[in-house]
Amino acid sequence: MIVPFTPRVDRQFIGKYRPKVDGREKASGKAVYADDLSLKSKFPGLLYAKVLRSPYAHARIRSIDATAALAHPGVVDILKYTDPDVAMLKKTNAGWTDGVDTVSYRKMMWGTFRDRFVLGDTANWVGDEVGAAVVAEGELAAEEALRLLKVDWEVLPFVLDPYEAMKPGAALVHPDITADNIFPSDPFGGEEVFVNKGDVEASLASAEVTIECRSVYHNATQGSLDNWCCVVDWKEEELVVWSNSYAVDQTRMHVSQMLGLPIHRVRAVSPYVGGQFGRGDTGDQPFFLFTAILSKRTGRPVKFKHTRRESFHDSRQPADYSAKIGARRDGTITAMHFRSVGNAGAYADHTMFALKYAPKEITEVALAHIPNVRFETRGVYTNKLPACMMRGVGNSQFNLIFGHVVDALAERLGMDPVELAIRNFGHEWESLPDASLARVLGAGADRIGWKEKRHAPGEGPIFGDRRRRGVGFSFHPAWHAEWQEVRRGKVQVSITLNPDCTVLLNAPSVETGNGSNTCNVLGCAEALRFLGVALEDIRWGSTVDTAIGLKDCVQTDSAVSFLQSEVMAVAAVDLKARLAEIIAPFLGIAESEVEIVAGEAFAKSAPGKRTAVKEILLQGDLAPITVVKSRSPLATKTGVPYIANFAEVEVDEETGKVDVLKLVVLNDCGTVMYASGAEAQQIGGQVIGLGETLTEEIVYDKATGVPLNFNWIDYRIPTMADMPDIEPVLLEVWKGAGEYGACGIGEGTVTCTPRAILNAIYNAIGVRVDEIPATPEKLLGALAARGQAAKAGSEARS
């Protein structure tokens, strides 16, 4: 039974269950998305662009003959890699920023890895955008023209496996960057060892107990319904780009800097986005640039959009983790050593965010009380689909090994893994046991029936013929708290109070479906509760436009749900002071004597004599009052709360089929900003978590390097029919800085699911499968190996 969330502080708007503020707009079909925005009826003379994609995993273009393609009916122009307006473009990458901040070319996050040319002559994976882009009167004409291009390809050797790629003589993906496919040093951690606390080797050597584990995370895709799309109209005085980028200021910066235009001559506009799940974090895409150039050359607006197949454009960063852990027999962990190898695919983008940045942050907020910790990693180029950003980036990959070692060490020590976790883990600014972790794991254990259902691995009761059940869990530090968002810089909002006490809210943030705009409206209403403002009194904008002038707050790290509301709380103080200036002479009192409660103004010394604020304002000059506030996230380090997933599974030992019976998803949020939206994030995140664990995997033809399942039939995303019983649990234990002291939850809801399910599978059948997806074939193979080992042991004893 799902127990409704009860907030620790009862507020008027924040923390409640209610419909989304845009629910009616979306349900009625009135919400505007990229496809609605880019209709030909809205852009007279609209042209359509298509780009040449490589049929080879690794190849170089010797030449392109575009004669037949140019002559095809409807074709307007063809942009080639040899054209001066393409050749002049700087080498770049698609991940200047992870969306947290807006950065220039010079300050891009991964400047070491400028490994992309716009329409370059070398393809590094099957599907790479290279060589030429066609623009035509219709999409079909553009597609037909692409097939008429006569491309002379020099097919090159390719490599798909990172371990093969590191061997001497392997095909080099980016020889100008690395001579062995291994990433060079980067700004976030330097060499391969990027965390080295204490003396790990000595501690492991002297440990009373040691274990070694391995976990392998594959590459999944984001599966966003809203394929990348843009329309660019480049006139002499201004370039305007409409798109479903969720980072409009960064889109403007990217286009401005790459095309050499001053910022005020570039305008970026984004409406609603139909889900993105990390895709937009590699938002500095080359297609914005060649679409813009085609618009300039033709003098007409140009649309570019991915097909469903082309939307398999980047993926979760695959990571092969191994770990060695040392502990005392009483369960105190003394040393943790993690190694990882990441298959970056064709381009680096945010690979090192996943392999270094996220794990380094985890060290501070989860492993602070472990005296000896080492992390080392290698990012490796191959000729696969680029591995970039996906919801839970870096955290999901690390949790697969983290939850593994906790479970395995507890078994070795004869301890309950819940007890082992609480004994050892917490953030730097709190002593053990961590209050948040203890509450989260305690609540999860109660909800799943941990004490009643957990048993020795493989020794539970049999259901039916050969079905066994088991339970498991994993936990993780939540992300992000306000102090972890400092590099965003100023967060900006404006609140305009009309004379009738209605409100215009400008809190620019592209809504991707997660309800952050609802959080903003709730935050505004909460901040203005002294005016008696209702939600329907607040007007807010669903389209974000750089022409408005305020910096957007990008919906990454799940932090928009509270960051802009924190600024509104400060802005409301200023607004109240401005109102006091107006009200004081009307009431004939000093400003310091003015009080406003529930939309009524009065003197503090005479609270019984009240006048509606709107009556006072309507008798004035009728000028709206606008407060614009810029505030940096608070840097006070408060640690973070914890999250966890508990799973119950049933495994058929004859077929290898896994049925997940129940998932309990727990988040300590600090403050729940919007209960309905938070639970929706918890439940919705399990689609990704369950899919990555059991069914989702990009499969390649090893002989050609061709991806075989870039579609939603063979790439198996779970449907509603596949989902188990899910119980969301929201807690408020930890509290951060600021008015609300909240922490994001949307990113982390996917993180613990794979390991919780894998641990439950082990509890059920007594064999581990630690490479996801845990397919029936892998489970049957593990069971067969156990049987063969048992037989060999029996024969040896006899």
Side-chain angles (χ1 to χ4, degrees):
M1 174 181 169
I2 297 176
V3 179
F5 160 73
T6 302
R8 63 180 159 193
V9 177
D10 188 21
R11 296 180 170 90
Q12 187 175 351
F13 296 99
I14 294 294
K16 305 294 186 181
Y17 290 92
R18 63 177 74 244
K20 288 184 176 181
V21 297
D22 56 13
R24 185 181 297 273
E25 187 180 8
K26 289 180 176 178
S28 65
K30 294 179 180 179
V32 175
Y33 292 87
D35 278 336
D36 304 301
L37 194 95
S38 59
L39 294 172
K40 197 176 185 77
S41 59
K42 296 179 183 294
F43 293 94
L46 182 66
L47 298 174
Y48 299 85
K50 291 289 180 180
V51 66
L52 176 65
R53 295 184 181 277
S54 172
Y56 303 106
H58 199 194
R60 185 177 297 110
I61 297 173
R62 293 192 184 99
S63 65
I64 297 178
D65 181 353
T67 306
L70 275 169
H72 188 67
V75 172
V76 178
D77 196 4
I78 296 178
L79 185 66
K80 295 196 296 182
Y81 69 103
T82 52
D83 291 353
D85 34 12
V86 173
M88 65 172 283
L89 296 175
K90 297 174 284 191
K91 205 172 183 183
T92 183
N93 65 42
W96 290 21
T97 172
D98 59 343
V100 170
D101 48 359
T102 301
V103 301
S104 64
Y105 181 88
R106 185 172 61 86
K107 290 189 175 182
M108 68 173 65
M109 198 170 192
W110 309 106
T112 307
F113 310 118
R114 292 184 177 125
D115 52 14
R116 289 180 184 260
F117 286 102
V118 180
L119 294 183
D121 65 350
T122 301
N124 292 306
W125 64 284
V126 175
D128 206 354
E129 299 171 350
V130 290
V134 175
V135 66
E137 299 288 352
E139 289 184 85
L140 182 59
E143 289 170 357
E144 291 170 342
L146 280 179
R147 292 193 286 271
L148 293 174
L149 292 173
K150 295 181 179 179
V151 184
D152 182 10
W153 296 97
E154 177 190 358
V155 181
L156 304 171
F158 67 90
V159 61
L160 302 178
D161 180 83
Y163 293 99
E164 293 297 319
M166 290 188 284
K167 291 180 179 179
L172 296 179
V173 183
H174 293 287
D176 56 326
I177 292 177
T178 171
D180 54 11
N181 289 320
I182 301 171
F183 282 17
S185 177
D186 63 83
F188 293 90
E191 302 303 323
E192 292 176 6
V193 177
F194 61 98
V195 172
N196 198 13
K197 181 174 71 169
D199 191 334
V200 171
E201 290 182 2
S203 181
L204 287 171
S206 63
E208 295 175 349
V209 177
T210 60
I211 62 163
E212 295 188 39
C213 301
R214 184 186 178 203
S215 294
V216 182
Y217 215 109
H218 65 98
N219 63 343
T221 194
Q222 299 91 348
S224 173
L225 285 171
D226 198 5
N227 298 346
W228 268 121
C229 178
C230 73
V231 173
V232 182
D233 192 8
W234 189 349
K235 297 294 191 287
E236 184 175 344
E237 67 281 359
E238 185 181 47
L239 183 158
V240 185
V241 51
W242 294 266
S243 79
N244 53 8
S245 164
Y246 81 145
V248 293
D249 277 289
Q250 183 60 39
T251 298
R252 177 177 64 170
M253 181 64 71
H254 171 232
V255 171
S256 164
Q257 297 242 309
M258 288 297 291
L259 298 179
L261 294 172
I263 291 175
H264 77 286
R265 286 187 55 203
V266 179
R267 177 185 168 203
V269 184
S270 288
Y272 285 115
V273 174
Q276 66 95 22
F277 311 118
R279 178 201 68 187
D281 291 67
T282 45
D284 304 288
Q285 290 288 333
F287 66 75
F288 285 111
L289 306 175
F290 64 70
T291 304
I293 294 170
L294 286 168
S295 176
K296 182 181 181 182
R297 283 171 48 147
T298 60
R300 293 165 66 177
V302 176
K303 177 180 179 177
F304 176 85
K305 184 184 178 183
H306 281 163
T307 64
R308 174 56 58 206
R309 179 180 176 82
E310 291 166 352
S311 72
F312 285 78
H313 189 260
D314 44 47
S315 69
R316 165 109 47 215
Q317 168 63 59
D320 185 343
Y321 265 101
S322 60
K324 188 172 183 179
I325 311 300
R328 295 200 292 263
R329 289 191 178 88
D330 66 359
T332 302
I333 297 175
T334 56
M336 306 187 85
H337 186 186
F338 298 98
R339 291 187 174 96
S340 66
V341 172
N343 187 342
Y347 298 104
D349 297 328
H350 287 299
T351 289
M352 296 317 285
F353 189 106
L355 296 178
K356 283 187 178 179
Y357 190 95
K360 193 171 186 179
E361 191 175 75
I362 292 164
T363 304
E364 187 176 42
V365 296
L367 310 184
H369 301 282
I370 310 299
N372 306 285
V373 180
R374 178 184 293 170
F375 279 84
E376 52 189 288
T377 191
R378 284 184 171 183
V380 184
Y381 283 118
T382 68
N383 295 107
K384 280 189 172 182
L385 175 78
C388 304
M389 279 281 192
M390 188 168 167
R391 186 177 181 181
V393 58
N395 290 265
S396 292
Q397 294 94 318
F398 177 70
N399 190 264
L400 199 68
I401 187 69
F402 182 49
H404 185 172
V405 299
V406 170
D407 197 59
L409 180 60
E411 182 185 11
R412 178 76 177 276
L413 294 170
M415 291 180 66
D416 187 326
V418 171
E419 178 189 343
L420 180 71
I422 294 171
R423 183 185 186 97
N424 287 281
F425 300 106
H427 62 74
E428 187 174 324
W429 302 277
E430 184 172 7
S431 59
L432 297 178
D434 184 285
S436 174
L437 180 59
R439 278 280 300 280
V440 165
L441 294 186
D446 289 344
R447 301 294 179 94
I448 203 71
W450 183 255
K451 291 181 179 179
E452 299 79 17
K453 295 178 180 178
R454 184 171 176 267
H455 48 72
E459 296 183 11
I462 296 176
F463 295 81
D465 295 331
R466 296 281 294 174
R467 299 193 304 276
R468 292 186 182 272
R469 292 183 182 180
V471 291
F473 80 96
S474 193
F475 67 99
H476 205 75
W479 60 320
H480 262 169
E482 187 165 355
W483 63 272
Q484 294 169 304
E485 295 293 306
V486 167
R487 65 187 174 92
R488 277 185 189 264
K490 293 287 192 292
V491 177
Q492 297 184 318
V493 302
S494 75
I495 297 173
T496 297
L497 182 69
N498 292 317
D500 64 352
C501 284
T502 57
V503 177
L504 302 177
L505 171 64
N506 184 14
S509 182
V510 177
E511 168 62 33
T512 63
N514 54 10
S516 289
N517 57 354
T518 299
C519 292
N520 282 338
V521 174
L522 296 175
C524 181
E526 191 72 43
L528 302 182
R529 65 190 181 279
F530 68 92
L531 286 171
V533 170
L535 295 182
E536 55 268 25
D537 296 327
I538 301 171
R539 184 176 179 183
W540 51 278
S542 59
T543 296
V544 180
D545 187 339
T546 56
I548 293 173
L550 293 183
K551 180 185 175 186
D552 66 336
C553 193
V554 180
Q555 292 196 39
T556 190
D557 293 343
S558 308
V560 172
S561 60
F562 62 89
L563 281 178
Q564 289 175 308
S565 289
E566 291 284 0
V567 183
M568 291 175 210
V570 178
V573 174
D574 286 1
L575 179 59
K576 196 170 186 179
R578 293 273 296 276
L579 283 169
E581 294 176 7
I582 298 169
I583 293 169
F586 184 89
L587 297 181
I589 59 176
E591 290 178 22
S592 60
E593 277 293 299
V594 174
E595 186 58 272
I596 306 171
V597 175
E600 295 180 323
F602 54 90
K604 293 176 182 176
S605 58
K609 187 178 180 181
R610 304 187 176 206
T611 305
V613 172
K614 70 167 64 175
E615 285 186 26
I616 298 172
L617 296 180
L618 288 170
Q619 293 182 51
D621 60 9
L622 303 184
I625 305 169
T626 298
V627 174
V628 180
K629 203 69 182 176
S630 296
R631 171 187 175 273
S632 296
L634 298 178
T636 305
K637 292 191 173 183
T638 57
V640 296
Y642 274 83
I643 63 177
N645 280 33
F646 283 73
E648 181 181 8
V649 305
E650 184 174 89
V651 184
D652 188 321
E653 291 185 304
E654 284 193 350
T655 65
K657 185 175 185 294
V658 177
D659 288 315
V660 179
L661 304 178
K662 183 173 182 177
L663 291 171
V664 180
V665 189
L666 304 104
N667 289 80
D668 177 6
C669 306
T671 293
V672 174
M673 301 299 290
Y674 172 36
S676 304
E679 288 186 357
Q681 288 291 300
Q682 290 179 296
I683 295 169
Q686 303 322 300
V687 180
I688 292 177
L690 186 70
E692 289 193 282
T693 309
L694 299 179
T695 61
E696 293 184 43
E697 182 179 21
I698 295 173
V699 180
Y700 290 82
D701 180 345
K702 294 181 180 179
T704 63
V706 174
L708 300 177
N709 60 334
F710 277 8
N711 60 74
W712 281 3
I713 297 174
D714 301 311
Y715 183 89
R716 293 178 53 213
I717 293 176
T719 68
M720 291 178 69
D722 299 312
M723 299 307 294
D725 176 26
I726 301 172
E727 182 174 358
V729 180
L730 298 171
L731 299 172
E732 293 181 336
V733 182
W734 166 91
K735 187 177 186 300
E739 174 71 18
Y740 301 110
C743 184
I745 74 164
E747 287 273 10
T749 60
V750 307
T751 292
C752 301
T753 310
R755 176 45 61 187
I757 293 173
L758 293 187
N759 284 346
I761 291 172
Y762 177 63
N763 184 244
I765 62 175
V767 295
R768 287 197 183 274
V769 174
D770 292 308
E771 179 176 353
I772 58 173
T775 60
E777 293 82 3
K778 290 176 184 175
L779 265 71
L780 291 174
L783 287 166
R786 181 185 65 179
Q788 291 170 359
K791 181 180 178 182
S794 176
E795 291 173 351
R797 286 190 295 273
S798 62

